[in-house]
């Protein structure tokens, strides 16, 4: 992200809305506002301080207008970029850029979804694609399954290795009181579960929950005076490679390769410097692909890398420490929850799931069908 200055902005407030299955009658804007109130309380700011507003949801075309109206604010700068679940990592970079130009000083980034309550088909309408729709794929699962099958064919990745991702996520979730899933999970459990789209069983696929949240971003100068230690934005990067899976240039290489390089360059860091890695795990293959493309292991070695508990609690790399989209929650567009967990890890607020000596954390968002990728590297005050 040329032009953005390392550490010039920070995330100072974070909060989830209600998660799982929310109360009847709750709207997506209700959830955004709920998260907003909690995030403001987290950092000690108030609604009158917000002069930048960013949000996105599949359930409201004009969500930024609806949220501004609901909160009773007239922000100087707004953004409603929607590129799927990575939208919020894009928003962090956009907010940082707006602050650098003096367009706003305190930005709210919010999300909400009631997809479990109202039904996934009502929450996200599928568009007709003349090259894919006639074959009746079960989207998005079949799109990600295509990438997984190709990875298995090209590199020898196994179903057991995919299952290891789900098992690790569940082990982290069991340490998170807010996680949806509460039962232990084994590789055998994953493999014997209901098949969804080969090679995925239902345990290879993310949860379908309601939920949302909010984060507050402000200038580094303003951040120093607030309630909790800031999580400074050290690096950002993004990439858009396609919209539909049949147009993906290479099913085993994602835009995380590009977004990660940009974020590392801006931060002046590399994979070995990251203490906690929060990846958008809509499906088990995601974690493998992103660990490869973000440089934590070589291309094709992701399956072996995630095996034997390496990314589980007690392993050598803390990955998806809240339980991820596979076991914590997945309200349609999960990217904001990655940022919330990354900030909490840097603050040391995560209790039993706390990554040891966490000073640098990564949140990597994914949107569409491996279509849009965005990487944010955050650092504790000691990293400036």
């Amino acid at each position: 992200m040329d032009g953005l200055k390392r550490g010039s902005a920070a995330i100072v407030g974070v909060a989830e809305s209600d998660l799982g299955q929310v109360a009847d009658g709750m709207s997506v804007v209700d959830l955004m506002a709920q998260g907003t109130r909690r995030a403001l309380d987290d950092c000690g700011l108030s609604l009158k301080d917000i002069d930048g507003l960013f949000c996105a949801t599949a359930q409201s075309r004009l969500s930024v207008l609806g949220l501004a109206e609901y909160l009773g604010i007239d922000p100087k700068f707004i953004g409603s970029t929607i590129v799927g679940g990575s939208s919020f990592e894009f928003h962090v970079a956009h907010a940082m850029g707006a602050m650098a130009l003096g367009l706003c000083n305190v930005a709210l980034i919010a999300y909400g979804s009631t997809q479990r309550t109202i039904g996934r088909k009502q929450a996200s309408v599928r568009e007709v694609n003349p090259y894919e729709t006639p074959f009746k794929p079960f989207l998005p699962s079949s799109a990600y399954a295509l990438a997984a099958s190709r990875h298995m064919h090209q590199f020898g990745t196994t179903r057991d290795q995919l299952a290891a991702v789900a098992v690790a996520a569940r082990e982290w979730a069991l340490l998170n009181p807010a996680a949806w899933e509460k039962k232990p999970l084994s590789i055998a459990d994953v493999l014997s579960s209901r098949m969804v789209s080969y090679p995925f069983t239902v345990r290879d696929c993310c949860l379908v929950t309601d939920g949302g949240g909010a984060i507050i971003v402000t200038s580094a100068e303003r951040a120093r005076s607030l309630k909790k230690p800031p999580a400074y934005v050290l690096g950002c990067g993004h990439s858009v490679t396609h919209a539909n899976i049949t147009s993906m240039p290479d099913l085993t290489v994602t835009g995380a390769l590009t977004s990660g390089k940009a974020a590392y360059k801006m931060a002046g860091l590399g994979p070995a410097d990251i203490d906690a890695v929060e990846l958008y795990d809509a499906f088990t293959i995601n974690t493998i692909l992103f660990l490869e493309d973000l440089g934590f292991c070589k291309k094709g070695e992701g399956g072996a890398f995630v095996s034997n508990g390496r990314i589980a609690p007690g392993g050598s790399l803390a990955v998806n420490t809240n339980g991820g989209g596979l076991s914590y929650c997945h309200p349609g567009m999960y990217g904001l929850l990655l940022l919330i967990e990354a900030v909490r890890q840097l603050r040391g607020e995560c209790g039993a799931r706390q990554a040891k000596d966490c000073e640098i954390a990564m949140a990597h968002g994914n949107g569409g069908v491996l279509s849009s990728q965005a990487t944010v590297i955050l650092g504790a005050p000691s990293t400036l």
Side-chain angles (χ1 to χ4, degrees), residues 30-100:
D30 286 326
L31 293 174
M32 290 182 189
Q34 188 182 60
T36 298
R37 180 73 275 163
R38 294 173 181 176
L40 288 170
D41 289 344
D42 185 57
C43 65
L45 292 172
S46 64
L47 278 175
K48 65 180 175 59
D49 295 307
I50 297 171
D51 58 0
L53 180 61
F54 300 80
C55 60
T57 174
Q59 291 176 243
S60 172
R61 290 185 300 112
L62 304 177
S63 59
V64 73
L65 302 184
L67 182 57
E69 177 184 81
Y70 191 109
L71 298 177
I73 61 176
D74 179 17
K76 293 192 298 183
F77 191 84
I78 61 172
S80 56
T81 294
I82 181 167
V83 286
S86 63
S87 298
F88 315 98
E89 283 72 28
F90 277 80
H91 291 167
V92 169
H94 296 172
M96 195 176 187
M99 288 174 193

